[in-house]
Amino acid sequence: MKIAIVCYPTFGGSGVVATELGLELAQRGHEIHFITYKQPVRLALMNSNVHYHEVNVPEYPLFHYQPYELALSSKLVDTVKLHKIELLHVHYAIPHAYAGYMAKQMLKDEGIKIPMVTTLHGTDITLVGNHPFYKTAVSFSINKSDIVTSVSQSLKEATYELFNIKKDIHVIPNFIELGKTRNESEIKCERSIMAKQDEYIITHISNFRKVKRIPDIIKIFYKIQQSIPAKLMMVGDGPEREKAERLCEELGIQEKVIFFGNSNEIDKILSYSDLFLLPSETESFGLAALEAMAWGVPVISTNTGGLPEVNFDGVSGYLSDVGNVDEMANNALKILENPETLATFKEKALSVATQFDISNILPLYEALYQKAINNI
């Protein structure tokens, strides 16, 4: 199949998932065309089946905000015609599904019919899409998609609750490339870089937005380190970082917390880690938790959104209500205080992660692609 993939080219979960999906599809012989305003961060073009097309948005003084949707629609039309694309797969309802629909209509006028698969990732539904200014356009874009998928059952239910959706939504979870994660790096475990031999390493990775409840992470760790020797690795950057650094100083634990900022060595850090903290206000799926589990790292998380679909309570880690810092700290200690218990949780975390290996998820997308093409 010749497939055009539209996504955000950023470090965020949707961009990573879309890029990894496209690369794996290319490995299986499909011709993949990425269409976005910048080359995706994880996109390697060393494959004859992978192509990248940049969307250029000309600047005009007339426009206060440049019309990206218009430029994207035009680029989609040109790419479909030039490369004989058979299917569009857009990640995010807005602006991508909206632009995809406009491209479909322009192509239809030229006698070209092409199906569009729209994948909902979370923010496009629960935060941005639910704004009154966008709600009508989001409903329209989803309903005009030929096939709609969501990354969790929780997100599917939220979409039906928030919008007037008449389409079936297929749940296809996010995935991990398990073999790649564990074999590519061949990392030597030099834990002394970050912690002493007797210190446990606890990790959090995110964009440090308010929804991630960064202060809760510091508070959970503060309670943990009162009982056992430990270090906290804070990976990522964002608006809540400065507040977190101040809180560490107020609690007197600044020497036990390392703020890495955005890092390209996430796999290395996770390979050292003993526990992963994700006390988010909400998560449509929880890809960061899955990436940790792929390294055999148990997860302490909230029970909100799609997290219970990834982190199995009492198996790969523990779930708690949002804001229940004491319970999360106690659950962390349940895992860490006994080496045998920690080893068991690590083994089970990896076992759960294997269910989400891309080899299990990719055929689900391929089947929907074929269904969309057959029904056009």
Side-chain angles (χ1 to χ4, degrees):
M1 284 180 266
K2 294 185 176 183
I3 304 165
I5 292 178
V6 183
C7 63
Y8 283 114
T10 56
F11 278 99
S14 68
V16 169
V17 167
T19 304
E20 298 291 355
L21 174 63
L23 293 176
E24 191 66 21
L25 286 164
Q27 291 291 336
R28 291 172 69 110
H30 301 286
E31 185 177 310
I32 305 301
H33 295 258
F34 288 94
I35 303 174
T36 186
Y37 59 84
K38 187 172 70 175
Q39 183 171 322
V41 292
R42 294 198 188 183
L43 179 58
L45 295 173
M46 300 298 289
N47 186 314
S48 60
N49 286 333
V50 178
H51 309 271
Y52 165 62
H53 309 277
E54 184 173 351
V55 180
N56 293 303
V57 185
E59 292 191 12
Y60 295 108
L62 175 65
F63 297 120
H64 183 67
Y65 299 105
Q66 303 309 315
Y68 177 67
E69 292 89 342
L70 181 62
L72 175 57
S73 296
S74 298
K75 189 68 175 183
L76 283 169
V77 170
D78 293 342
T79 305
V80 168
K81 290 164 64 177
L82 181 62
H83 297 280
K84 296 180 170 55
I85 301 297
E86 298 172 82
L87 178 134
L88 305 179
H89 187 175
V90 301
H91 295 258
Y92 261 51
I94 53 171
H96 299 152
Y98 192 81
Y101 172 75
M102 294 306 299
K104 279 168 58 78
Q105 294 306 109
M106 287 187 276
L107 289 163
K108 187 178 179 180
D109 283 350
E110 298 188 37
I112 300 172
K113 292 184 178 181
I114 185 168
M116 180 173 71
V117 175
T118 297
T119 293
L120 311 176
H121 285 271
T123 305
D124 51 341
I125 299 301
T126 57
L127 295 180
V128 179
N130 194 38
H131 194 287
F133 291 167
Y134 300 117
K135 202 162 187 174
T136 302
V138 171
S139 295
F140 177 86
S141 301
I142 294 173
N143 284 323
K144 289 298 183 180
S145 301
D146 295 279
I147 287 179
V148 182
T149 75
S150 71
V151 298
S152 68
Q153 180 66 28
S154 171
L155 181 59
K156 173 181 176 176
E157 293 169 1
T159 304
Y160 282 130
E161 181 181 339
L162 295 171
F163 301 94
N164 181 25
I165 303 302
K166 301 178 178 67
K167 302 286 294 187
D168 289 334
I169 299 177
H170 305 265
V171 176
I172 300 183
N174 285 336
F175 52 81
I176 191 76
E177 292 187 78
L178 201 60
K180 177 180 177 181
T181 299
R182 299 202 68 79
N183 295 330
E184 263 191 9
S185 304
E186 295 181 350
I187 297 167
K188 283 187 175 182
C189 194
E190 300 170 344
R191 289 174 60 98
S192 59
I193 295 172
M194 294 184 289
K196 297 176 183 176
Q197 188 172 357
D198 65 335
E199 291 178 319
Y200 291 100
I201 293 180
I202 299 165
T203 300
H204 171 79
I205 301 171
S206 77
N207 52 19
F208 283 53
R209 289 185 295 129
K210 197 167 185 177
V211 71
K212 301 298 181 180
R213 297 185 68 94
I214 301 299
D216 283 5
I217 295 162
I218 305 302
K219 293 172 187 176
I220 293 166
F221 174 72
Y222 177 72
K223 293 177 180 296
I224 293 170
Q225 59 84 41
Q226 287 180 315
S227 297
I228 59 173
K231 284 282 186 70
L232 175 62
M233 310 294 125
M234 297 289 283
V235 185
D237 208 349
E240 294 289 294
R241 175 173 172 174
E242 187 177 339
K243 185 189 297 184
E245 290 176 329
R246 285 201 307 269
L247 182 56
C248 289
E249 292 177 5
E250 290 169 11
L251 295 173
I253 57 172
Q254 64 269 29
E255 299 299 321
K256 297 183 178 182
V257 183
I258 300 175
F259 287 87
F260 286 86
N262 291 323
S263 173
N264 292 319
E265 295 188 301
I266 287 174
D267 285 343
K268 182 179 287 189
I269 294 167
L270 288 175
S271 77
Y272 302 148
S273 299
D274 298 298
L275 194 69
F276 191 83
L277 301 181
L278 195 63
S280 305
E281 189 82 31
T282 184
E283 292 280 349
S284 60
F285 178 80
L287 185 60
L290 179 58
E291 290 181 333
M293 289 158 55
W295 281 100
V297 182
V299 175
I300 297 295
S301 76
T302 46
N303 54 15
T304 183
L307 281 168
E309 300 174 45
V310 182
N311 182 24
F312 299 170
D313 192 42
V315 179
S316 57
Y318 285 108
L319 301 167
S320 297
D321 292 339
V322 174
N324 196 339
V325 170
D326 289 340
E327 183 176 280
M328 284 186 258
N330 289 336
N331 285 337
L333 290 171
K334 281 185 195 176
I335 294 174
L336 296 175
E337 283 183 323
N338 184 296
E340 290 76 21
T341 303
L342 175 57
T344 299
F345 270 93
K346 280 179 168 285
E347 182 180 340
K348 289 182 177 179
L350 177 57
S351 177
V352 172
T354 61
Q355 300 176 32
F356 297 90
D357 186 72
I358 194 168
S359 63
N360 298 323
I361 308 302
L362 192 68
L364 303 178
Y365 277 115
E366 288 180 308
L368 287 183
Y369 292 163
Q370 195 61 58
K371 180 180 177 182
I373 290 172
N374 291 344
N375 290 343
I376 195 67

